[in-house]
């Protein structure tokens, strides 16, 4: 029997509201016994939850991993996807290809391929039978379930030279690294907020590659252990142990090391709200501020810049860039110290 084609963007899975695209939709059809010619069906093994989303669910559950699992199961049952109703974010998944629709065969994936989705769980139809483990250190959940990948959705085979959990953690934030490469160049001054975390450390490493030794990279990290690990890599000229939610402290620190001028590029990688103004204050006049974390309030950023009379360019972090998966994996392959830290934390 010939399968119905389905829309390449996945609109055939939207239940409500009518006419919505899958990401902003309130509810998706996650009945994965239904097959469409444009879809790839994946047996899901691990969910890598967006850092801001996992943190919110942890706080709501009083730090209880079982509470996080319950919230995820409730969200998926209610919405047909892991789309956190508080943060609006999702994450990504690791699984094995089960079936490939005829209209998706040209993508080159076959049953048995181990893959990671490079798009958000907030738009991925997901069915969960059960959650078998919750790993707070990496914001990952081991699960038994299925997901549908739309024709338009990026998908990657898992690399053979990285442990699965590490590769999944890296691919979750892979969009940041190539965009850092686009936004800074030799001699620039770059500030990374949340520089000791996963995306922050990758951004700092890429910034160092791009600005060279004639440029400067400064890290701001609230967690002392992460700050120490970042310092050990020697990719930052200086690491400040500061809470980026304190904009005046950040302004003072960055003003001191830039003779009052500020940075050419500020990257906000903190997985908590309230750092929008610190990022703006750390930038020079006509500088660039790139908000990668999904905890960002873009209203606070836009109105904050206006209210402080700061003429800076504000960028919304995009989780996708051409060849972003290989770009990020190559960065980690090229820096053994960075790879060691990432392996220790996430593998």
């Amino acid at each position: 029997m010939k399968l119905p084609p389905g829309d390449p963007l996945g609109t055939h899975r939207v239940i409500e509201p009518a006419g919505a695209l899958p990401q902003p939709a309130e509810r998706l059809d996650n009945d994965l016994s239904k097959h469409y010619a444009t879809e790839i069906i994946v047996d899901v093994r691990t969910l890598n939850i967006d850092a801001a989303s996992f943190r919110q669910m942890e706080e709501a559950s009083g730090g209880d991993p079982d509470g996080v699992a319950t919230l995820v199961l409730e969200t998926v049952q209610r919405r047909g996807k892991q789309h956190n109703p508080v943060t609006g974010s999702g994450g990504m998944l690791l699984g094995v290809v089960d079936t490939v629709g005829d209209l998706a065969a040209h993508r080159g994936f076959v049953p048995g391929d181990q893959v990671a989705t490079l798009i958000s769980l907030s738009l991925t139809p997901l069915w969960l039978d059960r959650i078998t483990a919750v790993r707070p250190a990496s914001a990952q959940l081991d699960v038994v379930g299925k997901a549908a990948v739309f024709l338009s959705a990026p998908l990657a085979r898992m690399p053979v030279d990285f442990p699965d959990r590490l590769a999944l953690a890296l691919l979750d934030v892979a969009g940041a690294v190539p965009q850092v490469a686009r936004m800074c160049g030799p001699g620039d001054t770059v500030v990374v907020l949340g520089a000791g975390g996963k995306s922050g450390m990758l951004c700092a490493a890429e910034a160092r590659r791009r600005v060279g030794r004639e440029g400067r990279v400064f890290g701001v990290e609230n967690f002392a252990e992460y700050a120490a690990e970042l310092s050990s890599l020697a990719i930052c000229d200086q690491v400040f142990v500061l809470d980026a939610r304190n904009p005046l402290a950040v302004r003072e620190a960055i003003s001191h090391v830039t003779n009052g001028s500020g940075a050419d590029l500020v990257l906000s990688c903190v997985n908590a709200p309230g750092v929008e103004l610190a990022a703006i204050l750390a930038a020079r006049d006509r500088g660039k501020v790139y908000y990668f974390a999904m905890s960002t309030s873009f209203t606070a950023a836009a109105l904050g810049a206006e209210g402080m009379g700061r003429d800076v360019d504000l960028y919304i972090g995009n989780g996708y860039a051409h060849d972003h998966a290989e770009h990020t994996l190559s960065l980690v392959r090229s820096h053994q110290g960075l790879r060691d830290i990432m392996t220790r934390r996430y593998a």
Side-chain angles (χ1 to χ4, degrees):
M1 184 179 70
K2 188 175 181 180
L3 296 176
D7 185 273
L9 296 176
T11 57
H12 57 281
R13 290 280 184 181
V14 173
I15 294 177
E16 61 176 326
L21 288 168
Q23 199 285 326
E26 180 61 29
R27 191 157 63 100
L28 300 183
D29 180 1
N30 64 346
D31 180 355
L32 298 180
S33 67
K34 300 176 182 177
H35 289 189
Y36 295 86
T38 50
E39 290 182 347
I40 295 174
I41 302 300
V42 175
D43 287 323
V44 185
R45 296 183 176 176
T46 302
L47 302 181
N48 193 101
I49 303 296
D50 169 75
S53 176
F54 194 92
R55 178 173 179 159
Q56 182 275 322
M57 289 189 290
E58 247 189 340
E59 291 174 349
S61 304
D64 179 12
D66 290 339
V68 173
T70 297
L71 288 173
V72 169
L73 288 170
E74 289 175 350
T75 298
V76 172
Q77 183 177 30
R78 184 175 67 254
R79 306 195 67 177
K81 54 180 178 172
Q82 174 47 35
H83 189 173
N84 187 316
V86 178
T87 65
S89 54
M92 58 182 294
L93 63 82
L94 165 70
V96 176
V97 173
D98 177 31
T99 61
V100 179
D102 290 344
L103 296 180
H106 69 277
R107 302 187 67 179
F109 296 98
V110 297
D113 282 346
Q114 190 170 11
V115 296
T117 55
L118 301 179
I119 40 86
S120 177
L121 291 172
S122 67
L123 59 84
T124 303
L126 177 65
W127 174 270
L128 293 179
D129 291 319
R130 60 187 181 276
I131 294 173
T132 59
V134 179
R135 298 193 299 278
S138 59
Q140 293 177 354
L141 287 72
D142 292 334
V143 305
V144 177
K146 285 187 179 291
V149 179
F150 303 133
L151 194 62
S152 59
L155 187 67
R157 285 185 182 83
M158 294 295 285
V160 298
D161 58 335
F162 286 88
D164 289 345
R165 292 175 182 174
L166 173 59
L168 187 60
L170 295 173
L171 294 176
D172 179 45
V173 295
V177 173
Q179 290 169 52
V180 172
R182 296 173 185 174
M183 299 179 77
C184 61
D188 281 350
T189 296
V190 178
V191 171
V192 184
L193 305 182
K198 181 171 56 175
S199 61
M201 194 172 286
L202 292 170
C203 286
E206 182 65 19
R208 173 53 67 195
R209 288 208 300 185
R210 297 297 164 176
V211 306
R213 288 300 162 185
E214 66 272 29
R216 294 181 297 171
V217 178
F218 298 105
V220 174
E221 172 57 49
N222 188 43
F223 186 29
E225 182 179 340
Y226 277 16
E229 288 185 322
L230 177 62
S231 296
S232 74
L233 296 177
I235 57 178
C236 291
D237 293 85
Q238 190 169 344
V239 176
F240 298 97
V241 183
L242 290 173
D243 188 338
R245 292 171 295 186
N246 185 337
L248 298 182
V250 172
R251 180 187 66 173
E252 181 178 355
I254 301 305
S255 178
H256 178 72
V257 294
T258 61
N259 294 319
S261 62
D264 299 291
L265 171 66
V266 180
L267 303 156
S268 180
C269 300
V270 180
N271 65 354
V275 302
E276 296 84 2
L277 302 188
I280 293 166
L281 287 174
R284 67 168 173 81
D285 184 57
R286 296 300 304 126
K288 294 176 282 190
V289 180
Y290 180 83
Y291 293 102
F292 188 70
M294 290 298 100
S295 53
T296 301
S297 164
F298 296 101
T299 301
L303 297 181
E306 174 187 308
M308 295 184 294
R310 306 286 291 191
D311 188 358
V312 295
D313 293 334
L314 306 178
Y315 293 84
I316 298 174
N318 184 350
Y320 176 76
H322 294 311
D323 301 318
H324 66 315
E326 185 53 37
H327 190 137
T328 298
L329 294 174
S330 294
L331 170 66
V332 178
R333 289 185 183 110
S334 71
H335 198 303
Q336 188 59 50
L338 177 63
R339 182 169 184 156
D340 289 344
I341 291 173
M342 292 293 176
T343 300
R344 220 167 29 245
R345 289 186 189 178
Y346 304 110

